[in-house]
Amino acid sequence: MCGIAGHFGRPRGPGLRARMRTALSRRGPDAQHDAAFDRSGRRLPDQAQAEVGLVHTRLAIIDPRPIADQPMGSDDGAVWIAYNGEVYGWQAAARELEARGVAFETSSDTEFILRGYEAWGIEALLARLRGMFAFAIVDFRTRRVHVVRDRLGLKPIVYAHAADGFAFGSLVRSVLPWLPPEQRGFSSDAIDAYLAHRYVPAPRTIFDHVARLPNGHRLEYDLQANRLDVHRWWSPQAEPAADPGALLDEAIELRLVADRPLGLFLSGGIDSGTIACRLAATGHRQLRSFSAAFPGSALDESADAAATARALGLPNERIVVPTTIRDDFEEIIATLDEPFADPSSFPTWYLARATERHVKVVLGGDGGDELFAGYKRVTKHLRNAWRAGLTLPLPVLPDVASKGWRKASGELAVDWETAYALRFSGLTPNQRRFLQPGRAACPTHYWRTPELAADNRVDRLLRWDFANYLPEYVLRKADLATMAHGLELRAPLLDHRFVGAVLALPAGVRFTKPPKMYLARLAPELQRLGAFERKKRGFNPPLDGWLKDDLRERLGAAAGALHDLTNGQVDAQRARAMVDAYAHRSGLAEQVLSLVILAESLRQLRALASDLG
């Protein structure tokens, strides 16, 4: 797991790669390198202004020796790679290459990807990769750059393309130094998209001139013609399997390979609990588990997590999430790279910070809700499935509180399936119109429409999650919060072979009441503990306490700051009215928090852009 960046085209001045490397430093605490080239591929001194540059900051998990550091080049220096992630079970394919005379100098998956590309080309290579990854391969022989994001979107990648070149990076902040000052403006649509979703959905970012590569996509950049082509290389599809449970065991076993200490994030829920059960069943009872605790809160699952650990004989450590975020707020917002308002980012950040003191790799339960319809919003939305394509556009007035009927009017304005995007939203369309009176239009949502339809209604809704909510909200948070502390998070439930097997299950087996009963056969201990009947509690912090104490001063300043930072797009008087409404009624805590986060994130990004000159 690492941070990567690169630039191509007209040199941007001295110090560019150093600034990119600084932005990525927390993602790679173990080694930091860059490489510079001229357009023909000739290696240049590190400090040279170069037409081609690669940057890498390393969290060393597999083969931590310096020989496995990056950027890594081919024997003849014609092909180079900068790679972030982990590929699992690649050793068998490596033996195929060795049988053809390919010699490996390391035991790293980085070298396997590089050698595999040389032998098979990009498409055949991708078909053989199982895991999470974002990487760039520069091939000076073909004058092509290949930038790839993994199937499910566990690893991030953003990029910028201009008339004089191309740049990419793990973070928006790592690409920002490459942009000229006049191209560092915030996107009006992205600000509205953030208000709609609490994050900026791919392919947008908060900057007009920086894009996010969606999951399952790759891009190809022509060094000579400065042409950029983006392709989808994978979509979630049903892949029947004789025993999906055996595939999950295999996925877990593959993710236990590491040259650094390894543990497990364990909540009181079903997903991480199932992984814990499978670990115990396959003889891995020595693995340490780590659970977040919210003492005195109804959201505290640490007692249930401890009970699961005891039943399985796993060591468990209770991590108490701080009750105050005042001193860490700005650092956490910087960690999140651009505006991102998932409240659970904060406890995840604290859990990762404490866990990293003990291990460098953790398994987690991400993906179970999207696979087995574990979210309450799915059940709620199915109640309205009768209306299908029926719409009933109603005239509405923008309103700060967006009463229930006004919220419903937003759903009725679009078909039933599209309205699912509003089941998980930040501010309703009416609230966004209220805050942005000068904006001509506020689209219902900015989610990408799934490319593959499904016959089953539940599956149709989950396809929206797979295309949007899972990669750009759940997994982005997981990556940013853990990598901020040099901690690698692995998600066995999102192994693409297991995902395909689950998608192939009959609807009656996959979608149950209560949800996820398919996993009960893999986790009988959880069933005995009553986990499948337990009410889902989520992973949310005490927002009201934070807003009324730690962030109180920021609430007062947010309205004016947002007006200035968005050039008046967010109206100060109306933003202040929303904050005042929160002070007198409940139900607006998440919306007000999103405004506070937006103000701080935009402030940081504007300051960074200004400091870059």
Side-chain angles (χ1 to χ4, degrees), residues 40 46 74 95 124 139 155 158 199 203 228 301 325 353 372 385 388 422 460 472 495 504 511 521 584 607:
S40 69
D46 287 344
S74 61
R95 287 193 288 272
D139 190 336
K155 294 291 98 185
V158 299
Y199 72 100
L228 186 71
E301 292 186 337
I325 61 170
R353 185 177 69 175
F372 297 101
L422 294 174
R460 280 160 55 190
E472 303 304 338
D495 179 274
F511 307 126
R521 70 191 71 184
H584 294 92

Side-chain angles (χ1 to χ4, degrees), residues 495-517:
D495 179 274
H496 78 276
R497 294 188 60 194
F498 178 67
V499 168
V502 171
L503 295 181
L505 292 173
V509 175
R510 182 181 171 198
F511 307 126
T512 60
K513 293 182 180 180
K516 307 181 186 179
M517 287 304 298

Side-chain angles (χ1 to χ4, degrees), residues 15-95:
L16 170 60
R17 288 183 302 284
R19 290 191 291 270
M20 288 179 151
R21 195 169 60 241
T22 297
L24 297 169
S25 59
R26 295 188 67 162
R27 296 182 67 87
D30 297 325
Q32 301 183 2
H33 302 288
D34 60 78
F37 310 87
D38 65 15
R39 188 176 291 270
S40 69
R42 182 172 61 92
R43 187 81 181 265
L44 301 175
D46 287 344
Q47 300 305 314
Q49 293 191 48
E51 293 178 285
V52 177
L54 291 175
V55 175
H56 192 267
T57 63
R58 187 182 186 199
L59 173 60
I61 302 299
I62 302 294
D63 195 348
R65 297 175 299 164
I67 193 174
D69 286 352
Q70 303 178 50
M72 183 181 289
S74 61
D75 294 337
D76 61 3
V79 182
W80 287 79
I81 184 172
Y83 158 56
N84 168 34
E86 294 289 352
V87 171
Y88 312 109
W90 53 269
Q91 291 81 0
R95 287 193 288 272

